[in-house]
Amino acid sequence: MSPDQATSSPREAAQRPEPLRVLIADDERDSLLTLGMLCRGDGMDVRLVRRGKEVPLAAAEFSPDVILLDLGMPDRSGLDIAEELSERYGQSGPVLIAVTAFSSERDRQMAKESGFHDFIAKPYDPQTLLRRINNFRRRET
């Protein structure tokens, strides 16, 4: 790396987009860690939670752009969480993406009705998942 590549001007630094902030909630440890590594590897700022009931507080503290949320957590349904967050934040809230093994048409419809913006069934293709998350990157104004 040349010296001029190692440093950047304040203007160049200001023009770089902020990393996408992603909150991931999944009670399955391996799924949670895999999603976390995948998103971090794509340059996202990531927070992980293993309990559904922790999601609303984590969302308030972390202020994510996107929440990847499992539907089938034992302590609290992802559908219930999506409804709460949608009511709390409305259109200004984070983008909600269901990442779940529940993949029937009924599951998809219930997710949409609960406030999810997108639905990704497990198992997923990692590049497709990243592309769909990045589709929701907030545009700079």
Side-chain angles (χ1 to χ4, degrees):
M1 178 183 307
S2 69
D4 59 329
Q5 290 175 317
T7 60
S8 60
S9 71
R11 181 181 174 151
E12 290 170 331
Q15 290 176 344
R16 272 187 242 127
E18 290 291 319
L20 196 65
R21 298 169 64 88
V22 179
L23 175 64
I24 304 171
D26 196 319
D27 63 305
E28 189 66 37
R29 183 179 182 273
D30 290 341
S31 292
L32 184 67
L33 295 176
T34 299
L35 273 171
M37 288 188 316
L38 181 65
C39 291
R40 283 187 181 114
D42 197 54
M44 298 175 194
D45 184 4
V46 175
R47 296 294 183 275
L48 306 174
V49 296
R50 287 192 63 192
R51 297 185 189 284
K53 64 183 180 183
E54 296 172 357
V55 173
L57 179 59
E61 291 175 351
F62 181 53
S63 196
D65 299 302
V66 175
I67 298 177
L68 303 180
L69 185 56
D70 185 20
L71 297 184
M73 293 182 282
D75 66 325
R76 186 155 184 219
S77 159
L79 298 171
D80 292 340
I81 296 165
E83 286 178 1
E84 178 184 335
L85 295 175
S86 295
E87 288 174 15
R88 180 181 298 169
Y89 297 109
Q91 296 293 339
S92 65
V95 170
L96 303 174
I97 302 176
V99 181
T100 182
F102 299 145
S103 61
S104 73
E105 194 54 43
R106 172 105 173 103
D107 295 321
R108 292 173 185 275
Q109 185 60 37
M110 289 183 350
K112 184 176 181 181
E113 291 169 3
S114 297
F116 281 95
H117 300 91
D118 199 357
F119 189 102
I120 298 172
K122 295 176 185 175
Y124 52 82
D125 172 67
Q127 294 309 309
T128 299
L129 179 123
L130 289 173
R131 188 171 43 255
R132 288 175 60 186
I133 293 169
N134 279 300
N135 281 341
F136 290 105
R137 182 175 293 277
R138 292 185 179 159
R139 301 194 190 281
E140 300 294 322
T141 57

